[in-house]
Amino acid sequence: MKKTFPKVLVIDALLCTLFTCIVSGLLYVLVLNISILDPFSRAFEDFEFTDLYFSKNFYSKQADPEIIVVNVGQADRFAIAQALQKINPFKPKAIGVDLIFKERKADFPDEQLRLALAETQNLVHAVYLEDGSLKESHPFFELDSEQGGFINFNLDGKSRVVREFSGVLKEASVTRPSFAGKLAVEAGYLNESALKQHYDTEIPIRYSGGSASFLTLTIEEVIAREDLQVLTDAVVLLGYAGTPTGNPYDIEDRHFTPLNPNFTGRSVPDTFGVYIHATILQNLKTGKGFYKAPKALSLGIAVLFCFLAILAGMRIHKKSDVVFDLSIKILQLLIPVLLLYLALILMDRGIYIAVLPAVVLVILGLECIDFYAYLQGYIWKKYRWKSYLLD
């Protein structure tokens, strides 16, 4: 073993790994703090290699007949009131209204909507958090604040892509449930204490197929149909899903998700908010979400792979500079592919690990071997010590 990995090689590989981490840290700070590089910073925030798992259909699609979406389209408040009155008699487990009625409009439709909301059992209504304040429906509608759930995605504002969710948001002494979280509690999928205890941090969303996973009815269908037994014991979400339903050119309340087939250079949002809420609810219902590996573990794995790549690169560098130049290009291609493959396998087993840090460190680490050798050669002129690359 000593013959294969001399101690001096291991020390050089460790020092080069440290050098790579310092360089990558400086580049990261540079990208974040120079305004001209903002597009690059934004691109990194919006990109994850693991998006391939969803965008390229490696995941298993699962339909859920117990979560039903009603597309309100451009319906007025009177039509929404009619729909709620039609839904109530069929006793769904819970009804979520992914709409905020900010101001008063016509008296009669508003009065009908207020009455319909008051009569709705297990109702969860939407609230929106903006600049530290709570945006909710007009007081006229007399909605119980305890039955509200926030509809925000990406609360930290770091990415446009909806990959994660929080079941609750803790603000000082107040704990606010998310819209899907409150629905899960009302439907009996989990209790409130479990929601607060296990879903108080960002958790990756396990998408199951977007709109294709849920039965979608238009509000006109709900009002016109007499038999709505399909709603019995289901959770019904009223929200906007395009005009007409699923219109690919309608971007109102539409968001970027990992389901987007254009996993780089996204230009058109792909999933309506109501389907994201439905997917989060499905995750809470089944308990089959992702376990997200801690950042420290992801960074530790990144540093380990960087060290191993540098170790192999230095062995090749010692034997031949010509072979080294060719070999590192091959390693820079093969190791990221291997890392991505392992990440996809782990995701299929419910474990989510960020591989981008490992990919970046491996590629940069192999490039840094030459720079490390030059730096070491410069210092070696004044302070001589044993070096695998220079001896």
Side-chain angles (χ1 to χ4, degrees):
M1 183 62 68
K2 288 182 180 179
K3 201 171 183 180
T4 307
F5 296 107
K7 183 178 179 181
V8 68
L9 168 59
V10 174
I11 292 172
D12 270 346
L14 285 171
L15 289 173
C16 188
T17 301
L18 177 61
F19 176 69
T20 301
C21 291
I22 293 171
V23 171
S24 63
L26 291 173
L27 289 173
Y28 182 73
V29 171
L30 188 70
V31 169
L32 286 182
N33 289 282
I34 296 182
S35 59
I36 196 172
L37 296 177
D38 280 349
F40 296 98
S41 175
R42 194 68 177 176
F44 273 109
E45 289 170 356
D46 288 342
F47 175 73
E48 284 283 351
F49 276 106
T50 45
D51 288 355
L52 286 167
Y53 181 74
F54 295 107
S55 64
K56 300 304 177 185
N57 296 316
F58 290 111
Y59 67 100
S60 57
K61 297 181 180 180
Q62 296 179 346
D64 195 326
E66 294 184 358
I67 300 176
I68 297 172
V69 172
V70 175
N71 178 22
V72 300
Q74 302 297 328
D76 59 20
R77 293 179 177 182
F78 181 66
I80 294 170
Q82 286 182 298
L84 288 171
Q85 290 167 347
K86 287 293 295 288
I87 293 168
N88 276 323
F90 293 94
K91 300 186 183 304
K93 287 182 177 179
I95 299 175
V97 180
D98 184 20
L99 304 164
I100 296 178
F101 309 104
K102 293 181 181 179
E103 63 275 322
R104 293 289 310 276
K105 291 188 177 179
D107 288 343
F108 178 73
D110 281 3
E111 179 62 24
Q112 293 301 305
L113 179 59
R114 185 182 68 81
L115 293 173
L117 290 168
E119 294 168 358
T120 301
Q121 299 296 313
N122 298 328
L123 172 71
V124 176
H125 63 90
V127 298
Y128 187 80
L129 303 172
E130 185 176 26
D131 299 328
S133 61
L134 193 66
K135 307 294 182 184
E136 50 190 334
S137 295
H138 193 280
F140 172 82
F141 297 102
E142 299 178 347
L143 293 172
D144 184 356
S145 60
E146 294 296 318
Q147 291 301 110
F150 66 84
I151 57 174
N152 305 64
F153 303 118
N154 292 337
L155 290 167
D156 58 8
K158 291 182 178 179
S159 175
R160 295 182 303 161
V161 184
V162 184
R163 297 188 184 94
E164 301 178 332
F165 78 96
S166 292
V168 295
L169 177 64
K170 294 181 179 178
E171 293 181 317
S173 59
V174 179
T175 300
R176 300 188 188 281
S178 67
F179 183 69
K182 187 64 179 177
L183 275 170
V185 171
E186 289 297 319
Y189 295 150
L190 74 168
N191 58 50
E192 194 166 348
S193 62
L195 180 69
K196 292 178 179 179
Q197 183 177 354
H198 300 298
Y199 297 96
D200 59 343
T201 58
E202 294 284 334
I203 297 174
I205 301 171
R206 192 162 195 165
Y207 286 95
S208 57
S211 60
S213 297
F214 309 102
L215 172 63
T216 302
L217 302 173
T218 65
I219 195 167
E220 291 80 11
E221 287 177 308
V222 170
I223 294 172
R225 287 172 59 172
E226 293 299 325
D227 183 9
L228 291 172
Q229 291 292 338
V230 69
L231 304 181
T232 302
D233 291 330
V235 176
V236 182
L237 284 80
L238 278 77
Y240 187 77
T243 307
T245 301
N247 182 356
Y249 305 105
D250 190 340
I251 61 171
E252 182 179 348
D253 193 29
R254 208 165 185 174
H255 305 266
F256 294 105
T257 74
L259 295 171
N260 197 315
N262 300 317
F263 63 93
T264 57
R266 294 180 174 89
S267 58
V268 180
D270 53 275
T271 305
F272 289 103
V274 67
Y275 291 116
I276 299 176
H277 292 304
T279 302
I280 296 170
L281 177 61
Q282 185 184 42
N283 286 189
L284 294 171
K285 172 190 170 188
T286 62
K288 294 181 179 178
F290 286 116
Y291 165 75
K292 185 179 181 180
K295 285 185 178 180
L297 178 60
S298 297
L299 291 174
I301 291 172
V303 172
L304 175 62
F305 273 91
C306 178
F307 168 73
L308 294 174
I310 290 173
L311 197 69
M314 283 185 170
R315 287 297 300 270
I316 299 168
H317 187 282
K318 182 75 172 179
K319 293 180 179 180
S320 170
D321 287 343
V322 176
V323 175
F324 171 75
D325 289 338
L326 176 62
S327 298
I328 64 165
K329 301 305 177 188
I330 296 173
L331 289 173
Q332 285 172 330
L333 175 64
L334 290 181
I335 295 177
V337 170
L338 173 64
L339 285 168
L340 180 58
Y341 180 69
L342 291 173
L344 294 178
I345 290 175
L346 288 172
M347 286 187 74
D348 210 40
R349 286 159 175 73
I351 302 171
Y352 183 97
I353 294 182
V355 295
L356 186 58
V359 170
V360 171
L361 281 182
V362 165
I363 294 173
L364 187 59
L366 289 168
E367 290 292 342
C368 280
I369 292 175
D370 272 333
F371 293 101
Y372 173 76
Y374 295 145
L375 177 63
Q376 197 179 51
Y378 175 78
I379 299 173
W380 199 59
K381 293 176 183 178
K382 297 182 179 180
Y383 308 98
R384 290 183 176 270
W385 71 86
K386 287 186 178 181
S387 169
Y388 181 80
L389 295 177
L390 299 181
D391 288 344

